[in-house]
């Protein structure tokens, strides 16, 4: 159900002391500065506002100078496109000089600085992203953003196809914002234009696509929107492999309060280790992100062919070797599938490891124990430890001292 917009939230936003000081300093001497974009959109929706971006008639040098005079810290975080980050009492604000596009090629824009709020609004992507808010509480809407926001509708400013050709990333952003803010079907014109211009995504950098795709994955309606992407022929190009919608849906239901993009990506697009490799390359994933996908693939395959129903003992063994978090995602993703079969006590055990109320078992022997027991240093030590570890896993990963002593004795005897 569509709800009304929260005008009162705009007033509350303007009451924030740091923002008040900022707007006071930067609305003086014939200059005008407003809050713009996501902060205005989210306030009106009654959603949390975490980042406040502003747009101003002042040029970057003047922003810096005035900030310093007022005792604020100013960092030139995006000076080439006119952005200075001004920090007031620890809170950062991105302040950008009003701009207009003079040239676009589908991925970069040549911009001129200007003093015109209307032009600045019209170069933005969607109507709901182009609202601005004056210091006095006046809401400026040059593109019909307010009614689209009230209707929870993501619509391009101007002609969708033209806007996409200026910057093909807007296709990804169209779906990303749809997934986060829309409540019905995607805007027909935007959808048709995105489909028609699909091949344009190929000229973009993988980093930019990755950024939007990972944001889409944690959006409220991620699964539905990913299905739309699939129906319109986008998914193979983006993921290059299978798409497990049901698994994504289950993981997304489970992690709703704290979604993690990389785990949702795993559920959606990883079946085997090769998928993790390909996605690392395609989406320029970090080592850590890749490690998570690989861990998911390894566990998925292990558990898919696990011979028995999983109980608490099996979980103890599994978490000795594998990231408990990855195990939790595999369980969530495969819930309702014929395998693995997971007993209730297994779920409870995993919950204890995940919440750290029970420590993950750690193999109790080290090389030094064997050396002390008379084994000469060398490759033999590693082999013996590996064999000991196998026994330890098979015997339930006990960590008490008497067990450790007994295990050491057996390992030494074998040698
Ligand atoms: P989020 O809360 O997800 O960060 P946001 O609205 O702040 O949402 P950003 O991607 O941070 O989104 O962009 C900030 C603003 O800049 C947008 O609201 C939009 O007005 C404008 N913008 C960003 N990228 C583009 C683009 N590719 N084309 C046109 N306008 C854009
Ligand atoms: Mg933002």
């Amino acid at each position: 159900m569509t709800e009304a917009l929260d005008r009162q939230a705009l007033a509350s936003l303007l009451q924030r002391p740091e923002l008040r000081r900022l707007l006071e300093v930067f609305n003086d001497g014939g200059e005008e500065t407003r809050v713009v974009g996501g902060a205005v959109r989210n306030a009106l929706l009654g959603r949390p506002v975490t980042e406040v971006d502003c747009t101003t008639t002042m040029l970057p040098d003047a922003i810096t100078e005035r900030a310093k005079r007022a005792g604020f810290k100013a960092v030139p975080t995006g000076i080439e496109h006119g952005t200075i980050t001004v920090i007031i009492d620890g809170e950062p604000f991105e302040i950008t000089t009003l701009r207009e596009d003079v040239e676009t090629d589908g991925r970069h824009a040549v911009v001129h600085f200007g003093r015109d709020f209307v032009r600045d609004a019209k170069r933005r992507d969607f109507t709901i992203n182009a609202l601005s808010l004056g210091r006095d509480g006046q809401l400026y809407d040059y593109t019909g953003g307010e009614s689209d926001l009230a209707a929870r509708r993501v619509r391009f400013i101007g002609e969708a196809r033209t806007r996409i050709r200026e910057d093909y990333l807007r296709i990804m952003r169209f779906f990303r914002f749809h997934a986060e803010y829309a409540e019905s079907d995607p805007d027909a014109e935007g959808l048709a234009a995105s489909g028609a211009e699909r091949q344009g995504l190929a000229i973009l950098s993988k980093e930019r696509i990755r950024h939007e795709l990972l944001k889409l994955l944690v959006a409220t309606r991620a699964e539905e929107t990913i299905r739309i992407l699939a129906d319109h022929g986008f998914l193979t190009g983006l993921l290059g492999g299978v798409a497990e919608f049901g698994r994504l849906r289950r993981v997304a239901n489970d992690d709703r309060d704290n979604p993690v993009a990389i785990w949702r990506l795993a559920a959606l697009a990883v079946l085997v280790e090769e998928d993790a490799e390909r996605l690392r390359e395609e989406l320029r994933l970090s080592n850590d992100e890749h490690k998570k996908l690989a861990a998911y693939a390894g566990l998925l395959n292990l558990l898919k062919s696990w011979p028995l129903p999983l109980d608490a003992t099996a979980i103890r063994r599994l978490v000795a070797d594998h990231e408990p978090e990855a195990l939790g995602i595999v369980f969530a993703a495969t819930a309702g599938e014929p395998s693995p079969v997971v007993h209730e006590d297994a779920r409870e055990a995993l919950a204890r490891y995940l919440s750290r109320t029970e420590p993950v078992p750690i193999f109790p022997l080290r090389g030094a124990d064997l050396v002390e027991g008379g084994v000469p240093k060398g490759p033999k030590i590693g082999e013996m430890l590996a064999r000991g570890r196998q026994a330890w896993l098979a015997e339930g990963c006990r960590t008490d001292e008497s067990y450790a002593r007994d295990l050491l004795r057996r390992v030494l005897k074998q040698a």
Side-chain angles (χ1 to χ4, degrees):
M1 242 280 298
T2 322
E3 288 157 50
L5 298 177
D6 189 354
R7 285 287 194 139
Q8 186 50 43
L10 295 180
S12 314
L13 179 64
L14 292 171
Q15 290 302 313
R16 295 188 183 183
E18 298 80 11
L19 181 58
R20 273 179 68 165
R21 287 180 65 199
L22 177 131
L23 292 178
E24 194 184 300
V25 168
F26 290 100
N27 281 287
D28 192 25
E31 304 292 354
E32 186 175 357
T33 301
R34 300 182 190 164
V35 179
V36 73
V40 184
R41 179 194 66 220
N42 286 8
L44 281 168
L45 289 174
R47 298 196 185 197
V49 174
T50 48
E51 289 168 10
V52 179
D53 299 336
C54 293
T55 179
T56 183
T57 52
M58 299 170 68
L59 292 171
D61 286 346
I63 301 174
T64 306
E65 200 193 292
R66 203 180 274 203
K68 293 201 165 143
R69 232 187 310 134
F72 308 150
K73 200 171 163 204
V75 189
T77 42
I79 193 88
E80 67 288 359
H81 31 85
T83 304
I84 308 284
T85 299
V86 172
I87 301 164
I88 305 177
D89 282 346
E91 191 180 337
F93 297 89
E94 275 196 3
I95 307 190
T96 305
T97 307
L98 287 163
R99 294 173 297 181
E100 46 197 85
D101 289 345
V102 285
E103 225 181 281
T104 54
D105 65 359
R107 47 184 163 173
H108 307 291
V110 178
V111 295
H112 275 179
F113 296 143
R115 294 185 65 88
D116 187 338
F117 283 93
V118 181
R119 286 201 177 162
D120 184 85
K122 289 194 168 162
R123 69 174 288 283
R124 293 172 185 273
D125 43 12
F126 308 110
T127 62
I128 62 167
N129 284 349
L131 295 163
S132 59
L133 174 67
R135 183 192 176 200
D136 56 358
Q138 167 94 35
L139 180 66
Y140 298 90
D141 179 8
Y142 307 116
T143 65
E146 204 183 350
S147 61
D148 283 339
L149 198 57
R152 308 291 192 269
R153 188 163 55 206
V154 177
R155 218 160 46 83
F156 280 95
I157 295 169
E159 202 192 33
R161 199 145 181 187
T162 312
R163 301 310 311 284
I164 289 172
R165 285 180 173 169
E166 290 169 2
D167 179 0
Y168 290 101
L169 191 71
R170 290 175 188 155
I171 295 177
M172 293 300 298
R173 292 176 60 84
F174 175 66
F175 290 108
R176 191 256 276 194
F177 283 100
H178 173 78
E180 190 56 55
Y181 299 103
E183 280 182 0
S184 46
D185 292 340
D187 171 64
E189 188 201 340
L191 185 60
S194 297
E197 295 295 333
R198 196 175 60 209
Q199 78 297 333
L201 288 178
I203 70 164
L204 299 175
S205 77
K206 294 179 174 177
E207 285 79 2
R208 290 181 82 203
I209 295 205
R210 158 220 154 91
H211 180 79
E212 296 296 333
L213 183 64
L214 293 186
K215 280 202 148 182
L216 192 165
L217 278 169
V218 292
T220 325
R221 298 208 304 164
E223 190 244 347
E224 275 171 81
T225 309
I226 293 280
R227 279 183 194 267
I228 297 171
L229 280 170
D231 288 345
H232 290 79
F234 283 99
L235 219 51
T236 326
L238 291 171
L239 303 175
V242 289
E244 291 281 350
F245 302 112
R247 288 182 179 170
L248 171 62
R249 188 183 61 246
R250 289 189 290 264
V251 167
N253 267 330
D254 225 55
D255 74 358
R256 216 169 337 174
D257 298 332
N258 191 17
V260 180
I262 199 72
W263 290 132
R264 288 190 175 189
L265 179 66
L268 172 68
V270 174
L271 283 190
V272 292
E273 298 236 13
E274 286 70 24
D275 294 322
E277 300 309 318
R278 190 191 59 255
L279 289 166
R280 182 225 287 260
E281 169 57 31
E282 273 313 304
L283 298 176
R284 298 280 190 268
L285 300 178
S286 68
N287 287 341
D288 186 60
E289 289 166 332
H290 167 259
K291 227 171 88 186
K292 286 192 160 71
L293 294 190
Y296 175 90
L299 274 167
L300 182 68
N301 287 293
L302 190 64
L303 294 187
K304 273 287 164 192
S305 54
W306 196 267
L308 296 168
L310 288 151
D311 58 12
T313 316
I315 298 301
R316 190 166 169 79
R317 270 180 224 153
L318 284 165
V319 297
D321 265 344
H322 305 270
E323 189 59 48
E325 230 188 331
L327 191 57
I329 302 299
V330 172
F331 282 0
T334 58
E337 294 180 11
S339 69
V341 179
V342 186
H343 276 169
E344 195 46 40
D345 69 330
R347 286 187 200 286
E348 285 163 8
L350 179 60
R352 288 194 300 275
Y353 294 118
L354 281 171
S355 65
R356 310 272 186 269
T357 41
E358 187 167 340
V360 166
I362 294 167
F363 181 55
L365 300 188
R366 0 219 106 263
D369 300 326
L370 302 187
V371 175
E372 231 171 81
V375 185
K377 283 187 186 166
K380 191 104 194 286
I381 301 260
E383 288 162 29
M384 289 170 72
L385 282 176
R387 236 175 303 135
R389 190 178 168 87
Q390 284 310 314
W392 176 72
L393 286 169
E395 290 159 9
C397 308
R398 286 172 55 185
T399 47
D400 53 284
E401 273 202 31
S402 67
Y403 176 85
R405 264 198 309 277
D406 179 61
L407 182 64
L408 177 61
R409 192 180 45 74
R410 284 185 283 146
V411 169
L412 289 172
K413 209 166 108 192
Q414 262 181 19

